[in-house]
Amino acid sequence: MQKCERRWVKPEEEVNARIQAVGFNPREVRWVIMTNMHGDHAGGIGHFPDSEIILSEKEAHDALAWNGPVQGFLNMHYPKWLKPTTTTHDDGPFESFDRSMAVTKDGAVRIVPTSGHTLGHQSVVVDAGTHYVLIAGDASYQESYMLEGRVDGVAVDAKLHHDSTRRMRELCKRKSTITQFAHDFDSAKRLEEKIFTIPRE
């Protein structure tokens, strides 16, 4: 089994077990879009050998480099078969973002660059019709920090981090948006109860 920053993860908490618990087969997952390749995000990649793994070109370059571990990318634990699809988000602007990549033909699922936490960090915007769902990984550690524009946790570039959170706030102003951050314990509640993120400015 592939391992990558899994010190506290029990077998039943692994991503494949969680996907099966809600009635899906992990082997049938078409895309795995990685916001970033730090160990707490990349640890479950080994469960998706049949999926297309999508990284930003910059994230792939930095994460797979020989000096990746110095930058926090524990690439010695990545699956040996990992050959990610990379993107430079060249499908044109989307809402408050200058660049994007359309994942689906109808553009309802898009990837947008949200640099700051890492230089190649990216987020996913799902158009649910009446609202967006912004899956933002570590672009901010929690909703309140994003709303405040606070640089939190590990950020390799504070200027880029500020720009990314500004663009996320603008997205929330343009259309009702449910934000999802990887380290925000309230993310699941916001999604389940359809609680929108309301910028204060």
Side-chain angles (χ1 to χ4, degrees), residues 50-169:
D50 302 320
S51 304
E52 181 179 4
I53 313 293
I54 304 176
L55 304 176
S56 73
E57 187 176 82
K58 178 60 176 170
E59 193 76 0
H61 174 272
D62 292 350
L64 299 175
W66 67 271
N67 63 342
V70 177
Q71 302 178 67
F73 301 109
L74 305 181
N75 54 30
M76 72 289 287
H77 298 309
Y78 297 168
K80 301 302 180 192
W81 49 257
L82 180 61
K83 296 284 188 293
T85 295
T86 62
T87 178
T88 51
H89 313 102
D90 292 330
D91 289 340
F94 174 74
E95 292 287 11
S96 52
F97 296 90
D98 294 338
R99 295 178 292 124
S100 71
M101 173 192 168
V103 180
T104 56
K105 289 181 181 179
D106 62 0
V109 179
R110 285 187 176 265
I111 304 173
V112 293
T114 47
S115 305
H117 178 72
T118 64
L119 295 179
H121 194 286
Q122 60 185 8
S123 298
V124 180
V125 182
V126 179
D127 188 343
T130 58
H131 63 278
Y132 291 137
V133 177
L134 172 64
I135 305 167
D138 288 349
S140 186
Y141 271 17
Q142 61 187 46
E143 180 194 51
S144 62
Y145 293 170
M146 184 274 290
L147 291 171
E148 296 165 9
R150 186 191 313 180
V151 176
D152 49 37
V154 176
V156 298
D157 190 307
K159 183 177 179 182
L160 289 174
H161 192 286
H162 283 304
D163 183 65
S164 293
T165 55
R166 177 185 64 79
R167 291 177 187 276
M168 289 188 286
R169 290 193 299 275

